Amino acid sequence: MKKLLLMGRMNDVMKNLSDYLQNYFRVQVCLENTENTLAMIKVLEPDIVVILLIGVYEFDNSIFLLLQNEYPNTPIVTIGTQGEYENFQFFCKDVQVDNLIRPIDNALVLEMLNHKLETAQEVVVEEKAEPVGDMKNVLVVDDDALTLRNLKMALEDTYNVSIANSGMKAISAIGKRRPDVILLDYEMPVCDGRQTLEMIRADAEIADIPVIFLTGVSDREHIEAVIGLKPAGYLLKPITMEDLEKAIEDVFSGNQQ
């Protein structure tokens, strides 16, 4: 999961936002204590920072100087009234910040965070420069870099393998090279496997591409939810190469789950 640092005063707005975002991020809440906040930033090294601007004038500006000097590429989203944001700009005027005017629905906050993370990160879409013509094309989608690397290495002798580390990047990869099968992580943050599959099926030109879900959760309710989406197959992590190769072969032979 991506790491999110949520800064601000503890109140009902902060608690509600924190509870909501924990469904999508690894959230660390930091309050007004400057020493603790500075330490937490260095330990956590967040992928994105969200600042609730209620009472922002009470923050020590050293926090913003740290973000500006040591984490210039870390996206920052603030949530506050126009007046609160004007006070904030004094502290962090040289840092690229997107402000959301409150009150705002949590779903819109999530949409902004998703957008910031997508535009801030280098697109991860890797493929062979000259794919072998008689090999099938496989797209692997997972937010874990180690999983992507391992699966690519395991499959690339048999297939033309492309990889993507998010649902949106997967759609981009499909546009560059249409896969014959997609291996899709179900538990990705922000845009998960279900949402990614829905985007694929919503596009008539790619809706028929078979998708095999990869999932690390094995409880009955979770598995039933996965099966309910009617994928071409699903595999439980950790994945063995024998099971993976069989699942792919079943798709190509028409012997799907």
Side-chain angles (χ1 to χ4, degrees):
M1 277 188 153
K2 297 295 183 183
K3 296 174 290 186
L4 183 148
L5 181 66
L6 179 58
M7 297 168 54
R9 299 176 62 182
M10 181 50 69
N11 50 41
D12 290 342
V13 177
M14 170 73 85
K15 184 178 186 306
N16 178 270
L17 182 61
S18 175
D19 290 345
Y20 178 80
L21 293 178
Q22 284 179 16
N23 294 309
Y24 306 96
F25 300 93
R26 176 187 167 192
V27 177
Q28 177 62 56
V29 176
C30 285
L31 307 180
E32 298 98 328
N33 186 298
T34 301
E35 183 178 350
N36 290 344
T37 301
L38 292 173
M40 185 55 63
I41 292 173
K42 294 179 180 179
V43 171
L44 184 65
E45 294 188 345
D47 297 292
I48 192 165
V49 175
V50 177
I51 304 175
L52 193 60
L53 297 180
I54 300 173
V56 70
Y57 54 86
E58 299 176 12
F59 277 76
D60 187 317
N61 63 4
S62 59
I63 294 174
F64 305 112
L65 291 175
L66 177 70
L67 290 171
Q68 177 182 330
N69 295 331
E70 298 191 28
Y71 304 97
N73 297 320
T74 300
I76 300 174
V77 174
T78 59
I79 303 172
T81 65
Q82 187 60 42
E84 289 167 341
Y85 182 60
E86 289 174 358
N87 288 333
F88 170 80
Q89 286 180 301
F90 173 78
F91 294 115
C92 208
K93 59 185 178 181
D94 295 324
V95 178
Q96 179 62 42
V97 174
D98 284 292
N99 183 56
L100 297 173
I101 302 296
R102 65 176 181 88
I104 185 171
D105 185 84
N106 285 338
L108 294 179
V109 175
L110 178 62
E111 183 178 343
M112 171 61 79
L113 299 183
N114 183 21
H115 171 73
K116 291 287 285 185
L117 285 169
E118 289 289 343
T119 55
Q121 296 175 353
E122 179 181 359
V123 173
V124 176
V125 175
E126 297 183 4
E127 55 189 30
K128 293 179 181 178
E130 297 182 1
V132 179
D134 59 352
M135 284 186 177
K136 296 287 190 180
N137 297 324
V138 175
L139 172 62
V140 184
V141 187
D142 199 299
D143 65 307
D144 182 75
L146 181 60
T147 298
L148 286 178
R149 183 163 58 250
N150 289 343
L151 290 180
K152 185 175 189 298
M153 291 177 61
L155 295 170
E156 62 185 357
D157 288 340
T158 309
Y159 304 101
N160 294 314
V161 182
S162 302
I163 63 175
N165 69 349
S166 74
M168 295 305 297
K169 295 183 181 70
I171 301 301
S172 174
I174 292 171
K176 293 184 177 182
R177 178 192 297 167
R178 180 187 172 92
D180 297 293
V181 65
I182 300 171
L183 306 180
L184 178 60
D185 181 23
Y186 190 80
E187 288 89 22
M188 294 185 295
V190 185
C191 182
D192 62 17
R194 178 184 60 80
Q195 293 167 312
T196 302
L197 179 58
E198 289 174 349
M199 287 191 294
I200 293 170
R201 288 179 173 170
D203 187 332
E205 294 186 359
I206 61 175
D208 61 341
I209 298 175
V211 171
I212 298 174
F213 274 129
L214 313 178
T215 176
V217 182
S218 59
D219 66 85
R220 179 176 177 177
E221 182 178 353
H222 182 87
I223 294 302
E224 288 178 349
V226 172
I227 295 175
L229 296 172
K230 298 181 179 179
Y234 73 91
L235 294 171
L236 293 176
K237 297 179 179 180
I239 300 165
T240 67
M241 279 310 302
E242 181 180 358
D243 289 342
L244 180 60
E245 290 172 355
K246 183 179 185 304
I248 296 175
E249 290 171 3
D250 284 346
V251 168
F252 294 146
S253 67
N255 183 27
Q256 300 172 16
Q257 296 179 19

